[in-house]
PDB file of all heavy atoms in Angstrom:
ATOM      1  N   LEU D 898      10.435 -17.804  -1.728  1.00  0.00           N
ATOM      2  CA  LEU D 898      11.749 -17.100  -1.764  1.00  0.00           C
ATOM      3  C   LEU D 898      12.459 -17.531  -3.091  1.00  0.00           C
ATOM      4  O   LEU D 898      13.064 -16.698  -3.753  1.00  0.00           O
ATOM      5  CB  LEU D 898      12.594 -17.439  -0.589  1.00  0.00           C
ATOM      6  CG  LEU D 898      12.100 -16.905   0.760  1.00  0.00           C
ATOM      7  CD1 LEU D 898      13.105 -17.307   1.849  1.00  0.00           C
ATOM      8  CD2 LEU D 898      11.916 -15.424   0.737  1.00  0.00           C
ATOM      9  N   ALA D 902      13.453 -15.136  -6.346  1.00  0.00           N
ATOM     10  CA  ALA D 902      14.879 -14.979  -6.779  1.00  0.00           C
ATOM     11  C   ALA D 902      15.099 -15.505  -8.150  1.00  0.00           C
ATOM     12  O   ALA D 902      16.000 -14.997  -8.840  1.00  0.00           O
ATOM     13  CB  ALA D 902      15.774 -15.737  -5.737  1.00  0.00           C
ATOM     14  N   TYR D 911      12.199  -7.269  -0.934  1.00  0.00           N
ATOM     15  CA  TYR D 911      11.625  -8.055   0.100  1.00  0.00           C
ATOM     16  C   TYR D 911      11.067  -7.145   1.172  1.00  0.00           C
ATOM     17  O   TYR D 911      11.837  -6.577   1.993  1.00  0.00           O
ATOM     18  CB  TYR D 911      12.568  -9.111   0.690  1.00  0.00           C
ATOM     19  CG  TYR D 911      13.064 -10.107  -0.386  1.00  0.00           C
ATOM     20  CD1 TYR D 911      14.052  -9.736  -1.211  1.00  0.00           C
ATOM     21  CD2 TYR D 911      12.515 -11.336  -0.518  1.00  0.00           C
ATOM     22  CE1 TYR D 911      14.518 -10.600  -2.273  1.00  0.00           C
ATOM     23  CE2 TYR D 911      12.926 -12.265  -1.472  1.00  0.00           C
ATOM     24  CZ  TYR D 911      13.913 -11.851  -2.298  1.00  0.00           C
ATOM     25  OH  TYR D 911      14.327 -12.705  -3.300  1.00  0.00           O
ATOM     26  N   PHE D 935      14.663 -14.130  12.636  1.00  0.00           N
ATOM     27  CA  PHE D 935      14.608 -13.177  11.604  1.00  0.00           C
ATOM     28  C   PHE D 935      15.947 -13.074  10.843  1.00  0.00           C
ATOM     29  O   PHE D 935      15.971 -12.914   9.602  1.00  0.00           O
ATOM     30  CB  PHE D 935      14.208 -11.824  12.160  1.00  0.00           C
ATOM     31  CG  PHE D 935      12.730 -11.767  12.571  1.00  0.00           C
ATOM     32  CD1 PHE D 935      12.362 -10.750  13.452  1.00  0.00           C
ATOM     33  CD2 PHE D 935      11.822 -12.732  12.209  1.00  0.00           C
ATOM     34  CE1 PHE D 935      10.947 -10.661  13.868  1.00  0.00           C
ATOM     35  CE2 PHE D 935      10.498 -12.630  12.660  1.00  0.00           C
ATOM     36  CZ  PHE D 935      10.064 -11.619  13.450  1.00  0.00           C
ATOM     37  N   LEU D 936      17.014 -13.125  11.566  1.00  0.00           N
ATOM     38  CA  LEU D 936      18.379 -13.111  10.960  1.00  0.00           C
ATOM     39  C   LEU D 936      18.562 -14.303  10.107  1.00  0.00           C
ATOM     40  O   LEU D 936      19.130 -14.278   8.970  1.00  0.00           O
ATOM     41  CB  LEU D 936      19.423 -12.973  11.945  1.00  0.00           C
ATOM     42  CG  LEU D 936      19.580 -11.650  12.696  1.00  0.00           C
ATOM     43  CD1 LEU D 936      20.544 -11.703  13.822  1.00  0.00           C
ATOM     44  CD2 LEU D 936      19.881 -10.497  11.710  1.00  0.00           C
ATOM     45  N   GLU D 937      18.064 -15.491  10.533  1.00  0.00           N
ATOM     46  CA  GLU D 937      18.154 -16.680   9.660  1.00  0.00           C
ATOM     47  C   GLU D 937      17.353 -16.562   8.433  1.00  0.00           C
ATOM     48  O   GLU D 937      17.819 -16.993   7.333  1.00  0.00           O
ATOM     49  CB  GLU D 937      17.629 -17.898  10.537  1.00  0.00           C
ATOM     50  CG  GLU D 937      17.882 -19.240   9.860  1.00  0.00           C
ATOM     51  CD  GLU D 937      16.823 -19.680   8.931  1.00  0.00           C
ATOM     52  OE1 GLU D 937      15.676 -19.220   9.116  1.00  0.00           O
ATOM     53  OE2 GLU D 937      17.147 -20.422   7.962  1.00  0.00           O
ATOM     54  N   LEU D 938      16.151 -15.907   8.503  1.00  0.00           N
ATOM     55  CA  LEU D 938      15.354 -15.651   7.332  1.00  0.00           C
ATOM     56  C   LEU D 938      16.081 -14.736   6.332  1.00  0.00           C
ATOM     57  O   LEU D 938      16.121 -15.047   5.180  1.00  0.00           O
ATOM     58  CB  LEU D 938      14.005 -15.080   7.738  1.00  0.00           C
ATOM     59  CG  LEU D 938      13.106 -14.560   6.580  1.00  0.00           C
ATOM     60  CD1 LEU D 938      12.722 -15.675   5.636  1.00  0.00           C
ATOM     61  CD2 LEU D 938      11.828 -13.928   7.184  1.00  0.00           C
ATOM     62  N   LEU D 939      16.672 -13.682   6.862  1.00  0.00           N
ATOM     63  CA  LEU D 939      17.438 -12.742   5.924  1.00  0.00           C
ATOM     64  C   LEU D 939      18.611 -13.452   5.348  1.00  0.00           C
ATOM     65  O   LEU D 939      18.931 -13.149   4.190  1.00  0.00           O
ATOM     66  CB  LEU D 939      17.879 -11.534   6.787  1.00  0.00           C
ATOM     67  CG  LEU D 939      16.814 -10.646   7.408  1.00  0.00           C
ATOM     68  CD1 LEU D 939      17.424  -9.478   8.156  1.00  0.00           C
ATOM     69  CD2 LEU D 939      15.952 -10.109   6.262  1.00  0.00           C
ATOM     70  N   GLY D 940      19.181 -14.392   6.067  1.00  0.00           N
ATOM     71  CA  GLY D 940      20.321 -15.178   5.445  1.00  0.00           C
ATOM     72  C   GLY D 940      19.885 -15.983   4.260  1.00  0.00           C
ATOM     73  O   GLY D 940      20.577 -16.076   3.280  1.00  0.00           O
ATOM     74  N   ARG D 941      18.627 -16.591   4.409  1.00  0.00           N
ATOM     75  CA  ARG D 941      18.068 -17.314   3.273  1.00  0.00           C
ATOM     76  C   ARG D 941      17.730 -16.446   2.112  1.00  0.00           C
ATOM     77  O   ARG D 941      17.943 -16.826   0.972  1.00  0.00           O
ATOM     78  CB  ARG D 941      16.857 -18.094   3.740  1.00  0.00           C
ATOM     79  CG  ARG D 941      17.151 -19.354   4.633  1.00  0.00           C
ATOM     80  CD  ARG D 941      15.937 -20.181   4.842  1.00  0.00           C
ATOM     81  NE  ARG D 941      15.066 -19.635   5.827  1.00  0.00           N
ATOM     82  CZ  ARG D 941      13.776 -19.521   5.725  1.00  0.00           C
ATOM     83  NH1 ARG D 941      13.188 -19.797   4.643  1.00  0.00           N
ATOM     84  NH2 ARG D 941      13.063 -19.014   6.742  1.00  0.00           N
ATOM     85  N   VAL D 942      17.198 -15.285   2.431  1.00  0.00           N
ATOM     86  CA  VAL D 942      16.881 -14.342   1.355  1.00  0.00           C
ATOM     87  C   VAL D 942      18.152 -13.973   0.564  1.00  0.00           C
ATOM     88  O   VAL D 942      18.185 -14.014  -0.670  1.00  0.00           O
ATOM     89  CB  VAL D 942      16.238 -13.028   1.895  1.00  0.00           C
ATOM     90  CG1 VAL D 942      16.184 -11.929   0.785  1.00  0.00           C
ATOM     91  CG2 VAL D 942      14.792 -13.380   2.430  1.00  0.00           C
ATOM     92  N   ARG D 943      19.225 -13.609   1.284  1.00  0.00           N
ATOM     93  CA  ARG D 943      20.428 -13.133   0.583  1.00  0.00           C
ATOM     94  C   ARG D 943      21.211 -14.323  -0.005  1.00  0.00           C
ATOM     95  O   ARG D 943      21.987 -14.125  -0.995  1.00  0.00           O
ATOM     96  CB  ARG D 943      21.333 -12.412   1.616  1.00  0.00           C
ATOM     97  CG  ARG D 943      20.642 -11.059   1.995  1.00  0.00           C
ATOM     98  CD  ARG D 943      21.503 -10.220   2.924  1.00  0.00           C
ATOM     99  NE  ARG D 943      20.978  -8.918   3.039  1.00  0.00           N
ATOM    100  CZ  ARG D 943      20.621  -8.316   4.208  1.00  0.00           C
ATOM    101  NH1 ARG D 943      20.851  -8.972   5.330  1.00  0.00           N
ATOM    102  NH2 ARG D 943      20.197  -7.095   4.273  1.00  0.00           N
ATOM    103  N   ALA D 944      20.991 -15.555   0.467  1.00  0.00           N
ATOM    104  CA  ALA D 944      21.621 -16.693  -0.210  1.00  0.00           C
ATOM    105  C   ALA D 944      21.036 -16.919  -1.608  1.00  0.00           C
ATOM    106  O   ALA D 944      21.785 -17.214  -2.535  1.00  0.00           O
ATOM    107  CB  ALA D 944      21.364 -17.954   0.622  1.00  0.00           C
ATOM    108  N   ASP D 945      19.731 -16.616  -1.796  1.00  0.00           N
ATOM    109  CA  ASP D 945      19.102 -16.711  -3.070  1.00  0.00           C
ATOM    110  C   ASP D 945      19.267 -15.500  -3.895  1.00  0.00           C
ATOM    111  O   ASP D 945      19.387 -15.575  -5.087  1.00  0.00           O
ATOM    112  CB  ASP D 945      17.640 -16.968  -2.905  1.00  0.00           C
ATOM    113  CG  ASP D 945      17.307 -18.400  -2.388  1.00  0.00           C
ATOM    114  OD1 ASP D 945      18.103 -19.267  -2.658  1.00  0.00           O
ATOM    115  OD2 ASP D 945      16.257 -18.578  -1.752  1.00  0.00           O
ATOM    116  N   ALA D 946      19.321 -14.301  -3.219  1.00  0.00           N
ATOM    117  CA  ALA D 946      19.437 -13.007  -3.955  1.00  0.00           C
ATOM    118  C   ALA D 946      20.344 -12.100  -3.244  1.00  0.00           C
ATOM    119  O   ALA D 946      19.980 -11.260  -2.405  1.00  0.00           O
ATOM    120  CB  ALA D 946      17.995 -12.356  -4.051  1.00  0.00           C
ATOM    121  N   PRO D 947      21.643 -12.257  -3.453  1.00  0.00           N
ATOM    122  CA  PRO D 947      22.673 -11.444  -2.728  1.00  0.00           C
ATOM    123  C   PRO D 947      22.468  -9.912  -2.842  1.00  0.00           C
ATOM    124  O   PRO D 947      22.827  -9.179  -1.957  1.00  0.00           O
ATOM    125  CB  PRO D 947      24.025 -11.835  -3.329  1.00  0.00           C
ATOM    126  CG  PRO D 947      23.738 -13.197  -3.977  1.00  0.00           C
ATOM    127  CD  PRO D 947      22.297 -13.216  -4.440  1.00  0.00           C
ATOM    128  N   GLU D 948      21.823  -9.473  -3.939  1.00  0.00           N
ATOM    129  CA  GLU D 948      21.631  -8.082  -4.161  1.00  0.00           C
ATOM    130  C   GLU D 948      20.372  -7.557  -3.581  1.00  0.00           C
ATOM    131  O   GLU D 948      19.951  -6.375  -3.748  1.00  0.00           O
ATOM    132  CB  GLU D 948      21.728  -7.741  -5.635  1.00  0.00           C
ATOM    133  CG  GLU D 948      20.461  -8.134  -6.431  1.00  0.00           C
ATOM    134  CD  GLU D 948      20.432  -9.634  -6.780  1.00  0.00           C
ATOM    135  OE1 GLU D 948      20.994 -10.435  -6.099  1.00  0.00           O
ATOM    136  OE2 GLU D 948      19.707  -9.925  -7.789  1.00  0.00           O
ATOM    137  N   ALA D 949      19.630  -8.379  -2.816  1.00  0.00           N
ATOM    138  CA  ALA D 949      18.294  -8.085  -2.418  1.00  0.00           C
ATOM    139  C   ALA D 949      18.201  -6.685  -1.595  1.00  0.00           C
ATOM    140  O   ALA D 949      19.073  -6.372  -0.819  1.00  0.00           O
ATOM    141  CB  ALA D 949      17.803  -9.211  -1.454  1.00  0.00           C
ATOM    142  N   GLY D 950      17.111  -6.019  -1.886  1.00  0.00           N
ATOM    143  CA  GLY D 950      16.710  -4.889  -1.103  1.00  0.00           C
ATOM    144  C   GLY D 950      15.707  -5.333  -0.103  1.00  0.00           C
ATOM    145  O   GLY D 950      14.716  -5.979  -0.481  1.00  0.00           O
ATOM    146  N   ILE D 951      15.841  -5.050   1.248  1.00  0.00           N
ATOM    147  CA  ILE D 951      14.989  -5.532   2.206  1.00  0.00           C
ATOM    148  C   ILE D 951      14.554  -4.335   3.115  1.00  0.00           C
ATOM    149  O   ILE D 951      15.322  -3.521   3.523  1.00  0.00           O
ATOM    150  CB  ILE D 951      15.679  -6.571   3.134  1.00  0.00           C
ATOM    151  CG1 ILE D 951      16.234  -7.712   2.263  1.00  0.00           C
ATOM    152  CG2 ILE D 951      14.645  -7.122   4.157  1.00  0.00           C
ATOM    153  CD1 ILE D 951      17.134  -8.658   3.052  1.00  0.00           C
ATOM    154  N   ARG D 952      13.209  -4.223   3.264  1.00  0.00           N
ATOM    155  CA  ARG D 952      12.670  -3.171   4.137  1.00  0.00           C
ATOM    156  C   ARG D 952      11.734  -3.794   5.151  1.00  0.00           C
ATOM    157  O   ARG D 952      11.214  -4.877   4.964  1.00  0.00           O
ATOM    158  CB  ARG D 952      11.970  -2.143   3.320  1.00  0.00           C
ATOM    159  CG  ARG D 952      10.546  -2.620   2.845  1.00  0.00           C
ATOM    160  CD  ARG D 952       9.617  -1.521   2.233  1.00  0.00           C
ATOM    161  NE  ARG D 952       9.823  -0.178   2.734  1.00  0.00           N
ATOM    162  CZ  ARG D 952       9.247   0.326   3.825  1.00  0.00           C
ATOM    163  NH1 ARG D 952       8.453  -0.455   4.557  1.00  0.00           N
ATOM    164  NH2 ARG D 952       9.451   1.605   4.196  1.00  0.00           N
ATOM    165  N   PHE D 973      19.193  -6.492  16.492  1.00  0.00           N
ATOM    166  CA  PHE D 973      18.688  -7.076  15.258  1.00  0.00           C
ATOM    167  C   PHE D 973      18.910  -6.040  14.139  1.00  0.00           C
ATOM    168  O   PHE D 973      19.416  -6.380  13.016  1.00  0.00           O
ATOM    169  CB  PHE D 973      17.193  -7.373  15.377  1.00  0.00           C
ATOM    170  CG  PHE D 973      16.549  -7.645  14.043  1.00  0.00           C
ATOM    171  CD1 PHE D 973      16.837  -8.750  13.316  1.00  0.00           C
ATOM    172  CD2 PHE D 973      15.645  -6.696  13.522  1.00  0.00           C
ATOM    173  CE1 PHE D 973      16.216  -8.988  12.050  1.00  0.00           C
ATOM    174  CE2 PHE D 973      14.997  -6.946  12.295  1.00  0.00           C
ATOM    175  CZ  PHE D 973      15.345  -8.086  11.531  1.00  0.00           C
ATOM    176  N   LEU D 974      18.515  -4.776  14.316  1.00  0.00           N
ATOM    177  CA  LEU D 974      18.571  -3.795  13.325  1.00  0.00           C
ATOM    178  C   LEU D 974      20.103  -3.562  12.866  1.00  0.00           C
ATOM    179  O   LEU D 974      20.346  -3.388  11.706  1.00  0.00           O
ATOM    180  CB  LEU D 974      17.994  -2.480  13.679  1.00  0.00           C
ATOM    181  CG  LEU D 974      16.428  -2.499  13.978  1.00  0.00           C
ATOM    182  CD1 LEU D 974      15.996  -1.197  14.513  1.00  0.00           C
ATOM    183  CD2 LEU D 974      15.742  -2.729  12.647  1.00  0.00           C
ATOM    184  N   THR D 975      20.955  -3.638  13.874  1.00  0.00           N
ATOM    185  CA  THR D 975      22.351  -3.483  13.557  1.00  0.00           C
ATOM    186  C   THR D 975      22.912  -4.653  12.746  1.00  0.00           C
ATOM    187  O   THR D 975      23.751  -4.452  11.804  1.00  0.00           O
ATOM    188  CB  THR D 975      23.167  -3.298  14.869  1.00  0.00           C
ATOM    189  OG1 THR D 975      22.641  -2.222  15.597  1.00  0.00           O
ATOM    190  CG2 THR D 975      24.624  -3.049  14.591  1.00  0.00           C
ATOM    191  N   GLU D 976      22.520  -5.828  13.032  1.00  0.00           N
ATOM    192  CA  GLU D 976      22.999  -6.967  12.346  1.00  0.00           C
ATOM    193  C   GLU D 976      22.333  -7.208  10.971  1.00  0.00           C
ATOM    194  O   GLU D 976      22.962  -7.787  10.074  1.00  0.00           O
ATOM    195  CB  GLU D 976      22.858  -8.224  13.164  1.00  0.00           C
ATOM    196  CG  GLU D 976      23.657  -8.315  14.445  1.00  0.00           C
ATOM    197  CD  GLU D 976      23.380  -9.573  15.252  1.00  0.00           C
ATOM    198  OE1 GLU D 976      23.686 -10.651  14.744  1.00  0.00           O
ATOM    199  OE2 GLU D 976      22.801  -9.413  16.392  1.00  0.00           O
ATOM    200  N   ALA D 977      21.141  -6.722  10.856  1.00  0.00           N
ATOM    201  CA  ALA D 977      20.340  -7.114   9.651  1.00  0.00           C
ATOM    202  C   ALA D 977      20.709  -6.442   8.373  1.00  0.00           C
ATOM    203  O   ALA D 977      20.359  -6.918   7.306  1.00  0.00           O
ATOM    204  CB  ALA D 977      18.897  -6.788   9.996  1.00  0.00           C
ATOM    205  N   ARG D 978      21.332  -5.262   8.464  1.00  0.00           N
ATOM    206  CA  ARG D 978      21.767  -4.564   7.173  1.00  0.00           C
ATOM    207  C   ARG D 978      20.538  -4.300   6.296  1.00  0.00           C
ATOM    208  O   ARG D 978      20.580  -4.637   5.121  1.00  0.00           O
ATOM    209  CB  ARG D 978      22.885  -5.284   6.486  1.00  0.00           C
ATOM    210  CG  ARG D 978      24.149  -5.420   7.227  1.00  0.00           C
ATOM    211  CD  ARG D 978      25.138  -6.320   6.543  1.00  0.00           C
ATOM    212  NE  ARG D 978      25.371  -6.072   5.133  1.00  0.00           N
ATOM    213  CZ  ARG D 978      25.042  -6.934   4.197  1.00  0.00           C
ATOM    214  NH1 ARG D 978      24.502  -8.113   4.511  1.00  0.00           N
ATOM    215  NH2 ARG D 978      25.223  -6.617   2.924  1.00  0.00           N
ATOM    216  N   LEU D 979      19.510  -3.752   6.827  1.00  0.00           N
ATOM    217  CA  LEU D 979      18.284  -3.448   6.059  1.00  0.00           C
ATOM    218  C   LEU D 979      18.421  -2.253   5.236  1.00  0.00           C
ATOM    219  O   LEU D 979      19.060  -1.250   5.645  1.00  0.00           O
ATOM    220  CB  LEU D 979      17.090  -3.424   6.973  1.00  0.00           C
ATOM    221  CG  LEU D 979      16.830  -4.626   7.823  1.00  0.00           C
ATOM    222  CD1 LEU D 979      15.812  -4.395   8.915  1.00  0.00           C
ATOM    223  CD2 LEU D 979      16.363  -5.858   6.936  1.00  0.00           C
ATOM    224  N   ASP D 980      17.790  -2.201   4.065  1.00  0.00           N
ATOM    225  CA  ASP D 980      17.854  -0.987   3.231  1.00  0.00           C
ATOM    226  C   ASP D 980      17.006   0.151   3.739  1.00  0.00           C
ATOM    227  O   ASP D 980      17.411   1.313   3.675  1.00  0.00           O
ATOM    228  CB  ASP D 980      17.461  -1.377   1.736  1.00  0.00           C
ATOM    229  CG  ASP D 980      18.445  -2.279   1.136  1.00  0.00           C
ATOM    230  OD1 ASP D 980      18.396  -3.490   1.395  1.00  0.00           O
ATOM    231  OD2 ASP D 980      19.321  -1.778   0.425  1.00  0.00           O
ATOM    232  N   VAL D 981      15.824  -0.163   4.173  1.00  0.00           N
ATOM    233  CA  VAL D 981      14.924   0.840   4.747  1.00  0.00           C
ATOM    234  C   VAL D 981      14.166   0.270   5.898  1.00  0.00           C
ATOM    235  O   VAL D 981      13.727  -0.876   5.898  1.00  0.00           O
ATOM    236  CB  VAL D 981      13.904   1.263   3.586  1.00  0.00           C
ATOM    237  CG1 VAL D 981      12.930   2.323   4.199  1.00  0.00           C
ATOM    238  CG2 VAL D 981      14.597   1.802   2.439  1.00  0.00           C
ATOM    239  N   ARG D1025      24.025   1.158   4.800  1.00  0.00           N
ATOM    240  CA  ARG D1025      23.706   0.122   3.843  1.00  0.00           C
ATOM    241  C   ARG D1025      23.786   0.634   2.419  1.00  0.00           C
ATOM    242  O   ARG D1025      24.215   0.000   1.465  1.00  0.00           O
ATOM    243  CB  ARG D1025      22.295  -0.427   4.192  1.00  0.00           C
ATOM    244  CG  ARG D1025      21.743  -1.441   3.203  1.00  0.00           C
ATOM    245  CD  ARG D1025      22.618  -2.682   3.079  1.00  0.00           C
ATOM    246  NE  ARG D1025      22.076  -3.579   2.068  1.00  0.00           N
ATOM    247  CZ  ARG D1025      22.801  -4.348   1.246  1.00  0.00           C
ATOM    248  NH1 ARG D1025      24.146  -4.128   1.248  1.00  0.00           N
ATOM    249  NH2 ARG D1025      22.283  -5.152   0.376  1.00  0.00           N
ATOM    250  N   GLU D1028      27.145   0.702   1.168  1.00  0.00           N
ATOM    251  CA  GLU D1028      27.646  -0.635   0.720  1.00  0.00           C
ATOM    252  C   GLU D1028      27.322  -0.884  -0.792  1.00  0.00           C
ATOM    253  O   GLU D1028      28.036  -1.730  -1.352  1.00  0.00           O
ATOM    254  CB  GLU D1028      27.009  -1.721   1.572  1.00  0.00           C
ATOM    255  CG  GLU D1028      27.452  -1.726   3.034  1.00  0.00           C
ATOM    256  CD  GLU D1028      26.714  -2.765   3.821  1.00  0.00           C
ATOM    257  OE1 GLU D1028      26.051  -3.600   3.198  1.00  0.00           O
ATOM    258  OE2 GLU D1028      26.848  -2.768   5.055  1.00  0.00           O
ATOM    259  N   ARG D1029      26.451  -0.167  -1.313  1.00  0.00           N
ATOM    260  CA  ARG D1029      26.035  -0.419  -2.654  1.00  0.00           C
ATOM    261  C   ARG D1029      26.853   0.369  -3.713  1.00  0.00           C
ATOM    262  O   ARG D1029      26.707   0.168  -4.939  1.00  0.00           O
ATOM    263  CB  ARG D1029      24.562  -0.127  -2.893  1.00  0.00           C
ATOM    264  CG  ARG D1029      23.644  -1.100  -2.104  1.00  0.00           C
ATOM    265  CD  ARG D1029      22.227  -1.036  -2.591  1.00  0.00           C
ATOM    266  NE  ARG D1029      21.323  -1.950  -1.895  1.00  0.00           N
ATOM    267  CZ  ARG D1029      21.156  -3.189  -2.233  1.00  0.00           C
ATOM    268  NH1 ARG D1029      21.836  -3.757  -3.271  1.00  0.00           N
ATOM    269  NH2 ARG D1029      20.254  -3.953  -1.599  1.00  0.00           N
TER     270      ARG D1029
END
Side-chain angles (χ1 to χ4, degrees):
L898 292 183
Y911 299 80
F935 292 162
L936 290 173
E937 190 273 334
L938 172 60
L939 295 179
R941 286 190 282 131
V942 168
R943 290 182 170 126
D945 288 334
E948 75 281 25
I951 306 171
R952 78 168 330 273
F973 167 69
L974 294 173
T975 302
E976 293 178 66
R978 296 172 48 244
L979 301 169
D980 291 82
V981 180
R1025 174 62 180 139
E1028 292 178 10
R1029 293 196 180 274

